[in-house]
Amino acid sequence: MKNLETLIQELCPNGVEFVKLGDVLDYEQPTKYIVKCKDYQNEGMPVLTAGQTFILGYTDETNGIFEASKENPVIIFDDFTTSFHWVDFNFKVKSSAMKMLRVLSEREVSFRFVYYAMKCIKYQTLEHSRQWISKYSQIEIPLPPIEVQTEIVRILDKFTSLEAELEAELKAELDCRKRQYEYYRDKLLSFENVGGQEVEWKKMSEVGTFIRGKRFVRTDIVEEGIPCIHYGDIYTYYGLAATKAKTYLKPEKAEKMKFASKNDVVIVGAGENNMDIGVGVAWLSDEKVAIHDACYIFKSKMNPRFVSHYLRGSNYHLQIKKYVCEGKICSISSKSIGRSLIPVPSLQEQERIATILDRFESLTTALQSGLPAEIAARRQQYEHYRDKLLTFKRKGAA
């Protein structure tokens, strides 16, 4: 088998043709494949989203299945974020904000090559825009001869397989640590077998008050200004507690905002699935922080770190799950969160438990920050190699 460099020298020494994605890929809307159920199962037909979560869960629905296979794969494409995934198994979809992409052209095109070429695209999404039709399908990719495409796919598939094996090993170690923390958290917060000590359970609305934040959008965020917490960052950036905000708002927005103060807990009220909703971050800074309207400020005399740990526990999430409204975005009201029961031991006991769980969580976080850094370094190495393989001179260019 000839190596890639030899193939390029023989077949396209003077550059390659560049084509628009819309000239090689066709799309289908997912309307008839959208899942009807609201509660997902642990097995059955996968329900997909093109976002980071990818597989949201499983359903027993048998109608409206999108049929894909290793011989007939598809790319699912999120029309708003431009996130996409390669899929080679049957599935249903979460919402209509997706497209299923397949090869359109009758010319010699490797679908897998196009997928890898899409991975190299650096594109800033436009807010509230259908990306595929308006912009993304017009982006050009290099299209070398099919022999070159095939060899590049072979190299990247092998590299991807090795990368996936390494990531799986690292993630398995991290998952083990997470499960340890979750086990001890749920055990400590169940207050079972506590030597006869009685612990009162109260509704969260009885021990504190809820204040909904005020709306702001990403374009309101600046490098310096009023500290703020956007609901999406609670999932991706903040842990159990914080003393510094990730983002800031324009100062002129201050009068319209609702602020969390020291020892308040910021609870998120919207998310991709019903198990994400309701988690919180304890705000421990003396400086107030503006809160997004998809969050609630929980004010109480309880230990905020204790509350934050509890809001990640199984008991609490089982309680609020039935109150979650599901659609393109899942949401829950502060009234519904307020119905959930929370244990109210003495402040001294709250502090003791919070300190124990802080130690477990910090060990997990240390591992979590170390492993992703290693994974990120590997991915960066792979992406550099991939981008180099997929960089071609345009035919006819000087």
Side-chain angles (χ1 to χ4, degrees):
M1 180 182 293
K2 296 181 179 179
N3 64 34
L4 181 60
E5 187 175 350
T6 301
L7 285 172
I8 291 174
Q9 285 299 320
E10 289 183 358
L11 300 175
C12 48
N14 298 318
V16 306
E17 179 186 9
F18 277 65
V19 297
K20 294 178 180 178
L21 283 171
D23 290 338
V24 293
L25 296 181
D26 194 10
Y27 70 87
E28 181 178 356
Q29 290 292 143
T31 308
K32 58 186 177 182
Y33 310 112
I34 296 174
V35 69
K36 294 180 180 178
C37 74
K38 294 184 178 180
D39 293 321
Y40 302 131
Q41 303 174 6
N42 294 323
E43 58 183 18
M45 184 60 58
V47 179
L48 306 185
T49 172
Q52 295 298 322
T53 306
F54 187 33
I55 298 180
L56 290 174
Y58 300 85
T59 178
D60 58 5
E61 294 177 20
T62 57
N63 294 325
I65 304 299
F66 190 99
E67 297 183 355
S69 65
K70 292 188 181 300
E71 295 72 31
N72 193 24
V74 67
I75 294 173
I76 61 166
F77 179 91
D78 187 311
D79 217 3
F80 290 106
T81 68
T82 71
S83 175
F84 59 90
H85 296 275
W86 180 269
V87 185
D88 53 16
F89 51 84
N90 294 345
F91 62 91
K92 289 184 74 71
V93 300
K94 165 68 174 176
S95 74
S96 61
M98 290 169 53
K99 284 180 170 56
M100 275 72 73
L101 308 178
R102 280 183 167 148
V103 170
L104 167 68
S105 177
E106 295 181 356
R107 64 203 297 177
E108 289 188 301
V109 177
S110 164
F111 189 29
R112 188 72 170 171
F113 176 86
V114 175
Y115 168 75
Y116 281 128
M118 288 172 65
K119 289 286 187 180
C120 299
I121 293 172
K122 307 296 188 294
Y123 172 69
Q124 184 66 42
T125 58
L126 304 172
E127 278 196 288
H128 309 300
S129 174
R130 291 285 183 176
Q131 304 295 324
W132 179 259
I133 294 174
S134 64
K135 294 289 182 180
Y136 204 87
S137 64
Q138 303 304 304
I139 294 174
E140 292 186 332
I141 61 168
L143 197 69
I146 190 64
E147 295 87 351
V148 175
Q149 295 179 44
T150 302
E151 178 61 10
I152 289 175
V153 167
R154 186 192 69 79
I155 293 169
L156 290 178
D157 276 350
K158 184 177 180 179
F159 202 95
T160 300
S161 178
L162 293 173
E163 194 72 13
E165 288 178 12
L166 175 63
E167 285 196 19
E169 291 178 7
L170 296 174
K171 287 178 178 177
E173 185 177 353
L174 178 58
D175 287 342
C176 180
R177 294 288 184 264
K178 285 182 176 179
R179 285 195 299 272
Q180 283 182 323
Y181 160 70
E182 290 166 1
Y183 170 80
Y184 285 108
R185 177 199 63 208
D186 289 350
K187 189 174 180 65
L188 279 171
L189 294 174
S190 70
F191 288 93
E192 296 174 353
N193 302 318
V194 289
Q197 177 186 355
E198 290 189 4
V199 174
E200 187 175 12
W201 290 72
K202 292 184 176 182
K203 292 181 179 180
M204 289 188 67
S205 59
E206 295 174 338
V207 298
T209 58
F210 294 88
I211 301 171
R212 185 173 181 174
K214 289 289 187 178
R215 179 168 175 75
F216 61 85
V217 295
R218 290 289 187 182
T219 53
D220 293 322
I221 293 176
V222 292
E223 292 186 3
E224 295 182 356
I226 305 164
C228 67
I229 294 179
H230 187 275
Y231 86 97
D233 292 332
I234 293 182
Y235 298 120
T236 59
Y237 178 79
Y238 294 102
L240 286 151
T243 57
K244 185 177 180 181
K246 176 189 177 185
T247 51
Y248 298 86
L249 287 177
K250 299 172 182 177
E252 55 265 30
K253 296 283 292 184
E255 292 183 3
K256 299 179 180 180
M257 292 295 102
K258 295 292 184 181
F259 290 84
S261 302
K262 186 175 183 178
N263 294 331
D264 290 342
V265 179
V266 181
I267 302 175
V268 65
E272 277 196 353
N273 60 71
N274 57 22
M275 287 308 293
D276 283 343
I277 290 177
V279 298
V281 53
W283 183 250
L284 304 180
S285 172
D286 290 327
E287 187 176 23
K288 291 184 177 181
V289 62
I291 304 301
H292 190 269
D293 72 339
C295 300
Y296 305 107
I297 304 163
F298 180 65
K299 293 180 174 290
S300 76
K301 294 182 179 179
M302 295 186 69
N303 183 300
R305 290 163 31 248
F306 176 89
V307 173
S308 187
H309 280 292
Y310 184 73
L311 295 181
R312 293 169 189 261
S314 300
N315 182 298
Y316 164 74
H317 281 279
L318 285 173
Q319 292 184 69
I320 68 169
K321 183 178 179 180
K322 59 186 174 183
Y323 300 120
V324 173
C325 297
E326 298 196 38
K328 290 182 180 179
I329 295 293
C330 297
S331 63
I332 190 170
S333 67
S334 59
K335 184 178 180 180
S336 294
I337 295 175
R339 292 189 182 116
S340 63
L341 298 176
I342 186 171
V344 189
S346 66
L347 285 174
Q348 183 179 3
E349 182 67 2
Q350 291 179 39
E351 175 62 29
R352 185 186 76 84
I353 290 174
T355 300
I356 292 172
L357 292 178
D358 282 350
R359 289 171 185 161
F360 272 109
E361 196 271 339
S362 65
L363 289 173
T364 303
T365 300
L367 185 63
Q368 195 167 359
S369 60
L371 290 185
E374 185 172 350
I375 290 173
R378 298 279 183 175
R379 284 181 180 170
Q380 187 175 15
Q381 182 184 33
Y382 161 71
E383 289 170 3
H384 173 77
Y385 184 53
R386 180 199 65 205
D387 291 359
K388 189 173 181 179
L389 282 175
L390 289 163
T391 299
F392 291 89
K393 183 175 77 171
R394 187 185 292 267
K395 186 183 290 186

